[in-house]
Amino acid sequence: MALVKDNILLQVVRGTLGDQITIYERNGQIIMAKKRGPSKKKPTKKQLEARYKMQVAAAYARVIIQDPEIKAYYKSLAGPGQNAYNMAVKDAYKSPEVQNIRFEESTVVVTAKDEFRVAEVDVRVVDPAGDILERGKAVLGRNSVEWYYKAASLPVGGKVIVVAVDLPGNETVREVKLE
C-alpha cells in the first residue's frame, strides 16, 4: 500500500488498473494498493454470521436514512470521513447493553447503554410459577442512562425480565431472580 502525494494524474484516477493495482481515496488521501482477489478459503461459521449481520445492518441503514430526522440524528454523530449511513450501520450492528438491574423498594432501576441511544426498556415481573404478573415500559431518568419501572409487587422466588431495545430494534434480554 502506498499513499500518493502531489501527483496530478492520480488526483483524478480511481479504480483498478489491469489486474494489478487499485487506486482509491479514503479520508482525503489517495491510496494505491495491490489488487485483492477473492479468498480461496471457505468462510467459517463466524464469518458467515458476521456477513449476515452486516447485510441486515446495511438494509436497516438504507431504509432508515430515508427519514430526514433520523438521518440528521445519525449525521450529527458522524466524525471525519463518516456519514449518516455509516453511523446507521454501526448502530444496527451492535445491540444495547444492560449493565445493571437493582431494586429500590418496589422500583426496578435498570442501567442500559448503547453507543447511540436506548429507545425503550420493557420490564416483566414473573412469579415463581413462571406466569407474568405485570409488564410495562420503564421511564428514562434524568441521567439518560437509568430507566425506572414502578412494580406493584416483586414476589420472592420470582424473577424480573428486562428487555432493552435500541433505535434499530436490537434487543438485549437480562433476567434477575428475586430473593
mmCIF file of all heavy atoms in Angstrom, residues 156-175:
data_model
loop_
_atom_site.group_PDB
_atom_site.id
_atom_site.type_symbol
_atom_site.label_atom_id
_atom_site.label_comp_id
_atom_site.label_asym_id
_atom_site.label_seq_id
_atom_site.Cartn_x
_atom_site.Cartn_y
_atom_site.Cartn_z
ATOM 1 N N VAL A 156 -41.141 -12.943 46.029
ATOM 2 C CA VAL A 156 -39.941 -13.710 46.363
ATOM 3 C C VAL A 156 -39.997 -15.035 45.597
ATOM 4 O O VAL A 156 -41.025 -15.693 45.530
ATOM 5 C CB VAL A 156 -39.869 -13.964 47.887
ATOM 6 C CG1 VAL A 156 -38.687 -14.851 48.229
ATOM 7 C CG2 VAL A 156 -39.782 -12.642 48.627
ATOM 8 N N GLY A 157 -38.864 -15.413 44.990
ATOM 9 C CA GLY A 157 -38.793 -16.646 44.207
ATOM 10 C C GLY A 157 -39.122 -16.430 42.736
ATOM 11 O O GLY A 157 -38.886 -17.291 41.901
ATOM 12 N N GLY A 158 -39.644 -15.261 42.406
ATOM 13 C CA GLY A 158 -39.951 -14.942 41.015
ATOM 14 C C GLY A 158 -38.730 -14.346 40.337
ATOM 15 O O GLY A 158 -37.593 -14.487 40.801
ATOM 16 N N LYS A 159 -38.958 -13.678 39.236
ATOM 17 C CA LYS A 159 -37.843 -13.025 38.563
ATOM 18 C C LYS A 159 -38.337 -11.796 37.806
ATOM 19 O O LYS A 159 -39.530 -11.639 37.540
ATOM 20 C CB LYS A 159 -37.124 -13.987 37.624
ATOM 21 C CG LYS A 159 -37.968 -14.552 36.514
ATOM 22 C CD LYS A 159 -37.176 -15.576 35.710
ATOM 23 C CE LYS A 159 -38.091 -16.297 34.721
ATOM 24 N NZ LYS A 159 -37.400 -17.312 33.972
ATOM 25 N N VAL A 160 -37.390 -10.944 37.490
ATOM 26 C CA VAL A 160 -37.655 -9.751 36.688
ATOM 27 C C VAL A 160 -36.898 -9.936 35.378
ATOM 28 O O VAL A 160 -35.705 -10.248 35.375
ATOM 29 C CB VAL A 160 -37.182 -8.471 37.416
ATOM 30 C CG1 VAL A 160 -37.254 -7.267 36.491
ATOM 31 C CG2 VAL A 160 -38.008 -8.230 38.661
ATOM 32 N N ILE A 161 -37.612 -9.752 34.272
ATOM 33 C CA ILE A 161 -37.009 -9.854 32.948
ATOM 34 C C ILE A 161 -36.990 -8.448 32.348
ATOM 35 O O ILE A 161 -38.016 -7.778 32.274
ATOM 36 C CB ILE A 161 -37.795 -10.809 32.033
ATOM 37 C CG1 ILE A 161 -37.876 -12.198 32.662
ATOM 38 C CG2 ILE A 161 -37.171 -10.871 30.653
ATOM 39 C CD1 ILE A 161 -38.825 -13.148 31.961
ATOM 40 N N VAL A 162 -35.803 -8.019 31.925
ATOM 41 C CA VAL A 162 -35.621 -6.692 31.347
ATOM 42 C C VAL A 162 -35.212 -6.855 29.888
ATOM 43 O O VAL A 162 -34.321 -7.646 29.573
ATOM 44 C CB VAL A 162 -34.538 -5.911 32.119
ATOM 45 C CG1 VAL A 162 -34.220 -4.598 31.440
ATOM 46 C CG2 VAL A 162 -34.971 -5.679 33.552
ATOM 47 N N VAL A 163 -35.886 -6.105 29.007
ATOM 48 C CA VAL A 163 -35.555 -6.104 27.580
ATOM 49 C C VAL A 163 -35.226 -4.675 27.171
ATOM 50 O O VAL A 163 -36.098 -3.802 27.216
ATOM 51 C CB VAL A 163 -36.726 -6.640 26.726
ATOM 52 C CG1 VAL A 163 -36.346 -6.658 25.249
ATOM 53 C CG2 VAL A 163 -37.164 -8.016 27.184
ATOM 54 N N ALA A 164 -33.960 -4.432 26.800
ATOM 55 C CA ALA A 164 -33.534 -3.117 26.316
ATOM 56 C C ALA A 164 -33.524 -3.151 24.796
ATOM 57 O O ALA A 164 -33.010 -4.099 24.188
ATOM 58 C CB ALA A 164 -32.145 -2.777 26.846
ATOM 59 N N VAL A 165 -34.105 -2.116 24.184
ATOM 60 C CA VAL A 165 -34.218 -2.049 22.731
ATOM 61 C C VAL A 165 -33.597 -0.738 22.252
ATOM 62 O O VAL A 165 -33.874 0.315 22.822
ATOM 63 C CB VAL A 165 -35.703 -2.106 22.288
ATOM 64 C CG1 VAL A 165 -35.826 -2.097 20.778
ATOM 65 C CG2 VAL A 165 -36.397 -3.316 22.879
ATOM 66 N N ASP A 166 -32.752 -0.827 21.202
ATOM 67 C CA ASP A 166 -32.172 0.396 20.651
ATOM 68 C C ASP A 166 -32.970 0.876 19.441
ATOM 69 O O ASP A 166 -33.973 0.265 19.067
ATOM 70 C CB ASP A 166 -30.685 0.221 20.330
ATOM 71 C CG ASP A 166 -30.397 -0.789 19.240
ATOM 72 O OD1 ASP A 166 -31.349 -1.347 18.655
ATOM 73 O OD2 ASP A 166 -29.209 -1.035 18.960
ATOM 74 N N LEU A 167 -32.542 1.953 18.829
ATOM 75 C CA LEU A 167 -33.257 2.567 17.716
ATOM 76 C C LEU A 167 -33.488 1.606 16.539
ATOM 77 O O LEU A 167 -34.586 1.562 16.002
ATOM 78 C CB LEU A 167 -32.500 3.822 17.262
ATOM 79 C CG LEU A 167 -33.237 4.810 16.383
ATOM 80 C CD1 LEU A 167 -34.494 5.327 17.068
ATOM 81 C CD2 LEU A 167 -32.335 5.973 16.036
ATOM 82 N N PRO A 168 -32.501 0.789 16.143
ATOM 83 C CA PRO A 168 -32.735 -0.154 15.044
ATOM 84 C C PRO A 168 -33.610 -1.352 15.421
ATOM 85 O O PRO A 168 -33.986 -2.133 14.565
ATOM 86 C CB PRO A 168 -31.334 -0.640 14.661
ATOM 87 C CG PRO A 168 -30.403 0.320 15.260
ATOM 88 C CD PRO A 168 -31.081 0.901 16.452
ATOM 89 N N GLY A 169 -33.905 -1.527 16.713
ATOM 90 C CA GLY A 169 -34.741 -2.641 17.143
ATOM 91 C C GLY A 169 -33.965 -3.819 17.702
ATOM 92 O O GLY A 169 -34.542 -4.863 17.991
ATOM 93 N N ASN A 170 -32.655 -3.686 17.884
ATOM 94 C CA ASN A 170 -31.868 -4.747 18.518
ATOM 95 C C ASN A 170 -32.285 -4.869 19.977
ATOM 96 O O ASN A 170 -32.451 -3.865 20.659
ATOM 97 C CB ASN A 170 -30.367 -4.440 18.455
ATOM 98 C CG ASN A 170 -29.850 -4.379 17.045
ATOM 99 O OD1 ASN A 170 -30.261 -5.149 16.188
ATOM 100 N ND2 ASN A 170 -28.947 -3.458 16.783
ATOM 101 N N GLU A 171 -32.438 -6.098 20.440
ATOM 102 C CA GLU A 171 -32.867 -6.327 21.817
ATOM 103 C C GLU A 171 -31.797 -7.045 22.621
ATOM 104 O O GLU A 171 -31.092 -7.903 22.101
ATOM 105 C CB GLU A 171 -34.131 -7.185 21.846
ATOM 106 C CG GLU A 171 -35.340 -6.545 21.243
ATOM 107 C CD GLU A 171 -36.588 -7.417 21.345
ATOM 108 O OE1 GLU A 171 -36.469 -8.604 21.713
ATOM 109 O OE2 GLU A 171 -37.672 -6.903 21.060
ATOM 110 N N THR A 172 -31.718 -6.694 23.895
ATOM 111 C CA THR A 172 -30.883 -7.403 24.854
ATOM 112 C C THR A 172 -31.784 -7.768 26.022
ATOM 113 O O THR A 172 -32.453 -6.908 26.583
ATOM 114 C CB THR A 172 -29.711 -6.531 25.333
ATOM 115 O OG1 THR A 172 -28.919 -6.175 24.203
ATOM 116 C CG2 THR A 172 -28.855 -7.270 26.349
ATOM 117 N N VAL A 173 -31.809 -9.063 26.371
ATOM 118 C CA VAL A 173 -32.671 -9.552 27.444
ATOM 119 C C VAL A 173 -31.791 -9.958 28.620
ATOM 120 O O VAL A 173 -30.772 -10.626 28.446
ATOM 121 C CB VAL A 173 -33.507 -10.771 26.973
ATOM 122 C CG1 VAL A 173 -34.386 -11.292 28.090
ATOM 123 C CG2 VAL A 173 -34.328 -10.406 25.751
ATOM 124 N N ARG A 174 -32.208 -9.547 29.822
ATOM 125 C CA ARG A 174 -31.492 -9.935 31.032
ATOM 126 C C ARG A 174 -32.500 -10.251 32.128
ATOM 127 O O ARG A 174 -33.501 -9.557 32.262
ATOM 128 C CB ARG A 174 -30.565 -8.809 31.463
ATOM 129 C CG ARG A 174 -29.594 -9.245 32.510
ATOM 130 C CD ARG A 174 -28.294 -8.497 32.418
ATOM 131 N NE ARG A 174 -27.607 -8.650 33.670
ATOM 132 C CZ ARG A 174 -26.947 -7.712 34.291
ATOM 133 N NH1 ARG A 174 -26.847 -6.528 33.779
ATOM 134 N NH2 ARG A 174 -26.370 -7.952 35.444
ATOM 135 N N GLU A 175 -32.221 -11.305 32.886
ATOM 136 C CA GLU A 175 -33.130 -11.750 33.962
ATOM 137 C C GLU A 175 -32.428 -11.647 35.305
ATOM 138 O O GLU A 175 -31.217 -11.849 35.400
ATOM 139 C CB GLU A 175 -33.534 -13.216 33.770
ATOM 140 C CG GLU A 175 -34.339 -13.491 32.550
ATOM 141 C CD GLU A 175 -34.731 -14.957 32.438
ATOM 142 O OE1 GLU A 175 -34.544 -15.727 33.411
ATOM 143 O OE2 GLU A 175 -35.232 -15.352 31.388
#
